[in-house]
Amino acid sequence: MNILVINCGSSSLKFQLIDSDSEQVLAKGLCERIGIDGRLVYQAAGGEKEITEVSMPTHTEAVKLVLDALINPNTGAIKSLEEIDAVGHRVVHGGEEFTTSILIDEEVIQAVESVSDLAPLHNPANLIGIRACQQLMPGVPMAAVFDTAFHQTMPEKAYMYALPYEYYEKYRVRKYGFHGTSHSYVSKRAAEILGKPYESLKTIVCHLGNGASICAVKNGKSIDTSMGLSPLEGLVMGTRSGDVDPSVLEFVAEKENLDMQQVMNVLNKESGVYGISGVSSDFRDIEEAADQGNKRADLAQEMFCYRVAKYVGSYAAAMNGVDAICFTAGVGENSGMIREKICVYLEYLGVKLDEEANKKRGVDLVISSSDAKVKVLMVPTNEELAIARETAGLLK
């Protein structure tokens, strides 16, 4: 079964065509600068990467360009669109409505629209991608795979905020969590690598990239995660502040004469390791600057690692122990230095890294020493494959 996976942003569209039986990626790429000028990046399996500058005023044109590339007689991965059996869409926020992935119909679309105020930058773009695909591929089954669904197993004590209860009753103000597709995939893959039943493990997944979150997975279920109502809560990130005293908002707003929208822009786009370092939101740039003696860049790294270690420790307490700690995503998979800095804090749990294994990057690997009480793993995430699996599962 060929599954087209679509991840639609406000001005971008990432895609992969995956054979769900062999789990081979037949083609992949992205559309950038939708609504501005437009660029299509396309690569079929075994082929060269092709970059085409082409106008795409809306997501509908972007989807059409992707479909045309897939059936291109010279470089296409398939001969006709009839070979696409289903489309799996990443949808960021499902609210409390969706606890699992679901086949899309008009009722599902309306439900996603109803929680768009919880993810105003993401859900509308996801819906645009869904509508565009429906228009161009009528009759092809489509699935919505939600970032928030995996975390719907959290207990009330974990997802509720200590605010007036009426805010939850009226507006569903609570922790939802994100990166759920990644946390689900990585925790399951870790169980496979360790040769243990998924439902028997206490696993902490550290999804560390420009956006970062941690998840406690106990017996196959998410019981807590660091992101909240929005992706702003939790860890220090690329440009997001993570946890901060709410009084800071009022204090800074008064001092700088900012309205709430401007304060939120600071917290989301001008903070994190970028705000601390003054260098970049890219951890590679910050590591390079720190190596050259930039003290603020070094501080940004130290703050990031400290916050990660604190969350790991709290989730070990929440699960009354931990069997495995997994590092994934851009930073988690590629920075042995960051992994080492975090794990130094966790020696009391029985964490001990294998120095040689920790030097490797981007592969499925146990990186803890053979005598370590807690296994530490590097597990490259694969959200597209997870979406394809979910989509195929709904159709079987």
Side-chain angles (χ1 to χ4, degrees):
M1 185 183 299
N2 291 335
I3 308 290
L4 177 60
V5 176
I6 297 286
N7 181 353
C8 211
S10 58
S11 62
S12 66
L13 185 157
K14 297 178 184 178
F15 68 92
Q16 285 193 13
L17 183 65
I18 297 174
D19 179 338
S20 65
D21 297 320
S22 66
E23 299 195 337
Q24 178 188 358
V25 176
L26 304 178
K28 63 182 179 179
L30 75 155
C31 296
E32 300 177 289
R33 301 176 63 82
I34 299 170
I36 305 171
D37 40 29
R39 178 184 299 119
L40 171 66
V41 181
Y42 172 82
Q43 185 174 22
E48 296 293 322
K49 183 182 291 186
E50 304 171 23
I51 300 176
T52 307
E53 306 291 339
V54 56
S55 174
M56 45 185 88
T58 72
H59 289 74
T60 301
E61 285 86 2
V63 171
K64 188 175 189 311
L65 286 164
V66 169
L67 299 179
D68 289 344
L70 290 172
I71 59 172
N72 182 293
N74 298 318
T75 58
I78 52 178
K79 293 180 179 179
S80 78
L81 295 182
E82 293 179 1
E83 294 181 48
I84 298 177
D85 298 293
V87 182
H89 293 270
R90 179 202 181 204
V91 180
V92 167
H93 216 306
E96 291 185 318
E97 182 80 14
F98 300 105
T99 58
T100 61
S101 302
I102 191 169
L103 290 174
I104 296 170
D105 58 19
E106 195 58 36
E107 188 176 338
V108 169
I109 288 174
Q110 290 176 8
V112 172
E113 286 177 339
S114 72
V115 295
S116 286
D117 58 341
L118 296 174
L121 298 179
H122 297 91
N123 273 30
N126 301 153
L127 287 166
I128 289 169
I130 291 169
R131 292 290 196 194
C133 287
Q134 286 179 327
Q135 179 182 335
L136 295 167
M137 291 182 280
V140 176
M142 301 198 187
V145 181
F146 299 93
D147 276 14
T148 51
F150 183 61
H151 302 301
Q152 285 298 302
T153 51
M154 288 189 293
E156 280 184 305
K157 64 184 179 183
Y159 71 69
M160 287 296 294
Y161 292 120
L163 296 168
Y165 195 77
E166 64 184 277
Y167 296 157
Y168 172 69
E169 294 177 308
K170 291 196 294 187
Y171 311 119
R172 288 297 181 257
V173 172
R174 51 159 285 182
K175 174 181 283 194
Y176 288 97
F178 299 88
H179 294 141
T181 307
S182 176
H183 288 302
S184 174
Y185 174 85
V186 170
S187 56
K188 289 171 183 170
R189 180 68 185 126
E192 292 175 2
I193 295 169
L194 295 174
K196 302 280 188 179
Y198 184 49
E199 295 76 14
S200 72
L201 293 174
K202 298 173 181 177
T203 305
I204 297 174
V205 179
C206 303
H207 179 110
L208 308 181
N210 194 279
S213 67
I214 298 185
C215 182
V217 185
K218 185 177 182 180
N219 306 134
K221 294 182 179 180
S222 169
I223 66 155
D224 208 344
T225 190
S226 57
M227 285 180 169
L229 175 76
S230 78
L232 182 57
E233 185 181 356
L235 303 177
V236 174
M237 304 180 222
T239 61
R240 298 184 191 125
S241 65
D243 296 338
V244 66
D245 181 346
S247 297
V248 169
L249 279 68
E250 179 186 27
F251 183 84
V252 171
E254 289 184 357
K255 294 292 185 182
E256 295 286 324
N257 194 28
L258 303 176
D259 60 26
M260 182 56 73
Q261 185 175 355
Q262 290 171 314
V263 170
M264 294 308 295
N265 188 69
V266 170
L267 294 177
N268 275 294
K269 297 181 179 180
E270 299 176 15
S271 301
V273 293
Y274 170 70
I276 294 297
S277 70
V279 172
S280 173
S281 63
D282 190 309
F283 284 79
R284 292 167 295 187
D285 296 338
I286 291 170
E287 183 174 345
E288 182 179 348
D291 288 343
Q292 293 173 356
N294 186 312
K295 292 184 178 180
R296 281 175 52 185
D298 185 62
L299 174 61
Q301 283 185 162
E302 293 296 334
M303 288 175 65
F304 177 78
C305 296
Y306 179 65
R307 184 74 62 88
V308 172
K310 285 208 300 181
Y311 264 98
V312 171
S314 68
Y315 287 167
M319 295 192 294
N320 196 18
V322 57
D323 300 307
I325 298 169
C326 304
F327 289 97
T328 192
V331 178
E333 295 168 23
N334 293 296
S335 178
M337 179 273 295
I338 292 288
R339 293 192 296 262
E340 183 179 3
K341 281 181 176 290
I342 293 166
C343 287
V344 165
Y345 288 105
L346 306 174
E347 291 175 355
Y348 74 99
L349 290 172
V351 168
K352 185 179 178 183
L353 289 181
D354 180 307
E355 289 186 15
E356 287 303 312
N358 188 48
K359 291 177 182 177
K360 300 192 186 254
R361 302 170 57 179
V363 292
D364 289 328
L365 190 68
V366 176
I367 58 173
S368 51
S369 61
S370 58
D371 60 340
K373 182 181 176 183
V374 175
K375 298 296 183 184
V376 181
L377 299 90
M378 170 171 46
V379 182
T381 191
N382 194 333
E383 293 172 272
E384 290 79 13
L385 177 57
I387 291 170
R389 287 174 174 173
E390 290 280 329
T391 304
L394 289 170
L395 296 172
K396 288 180 180 177

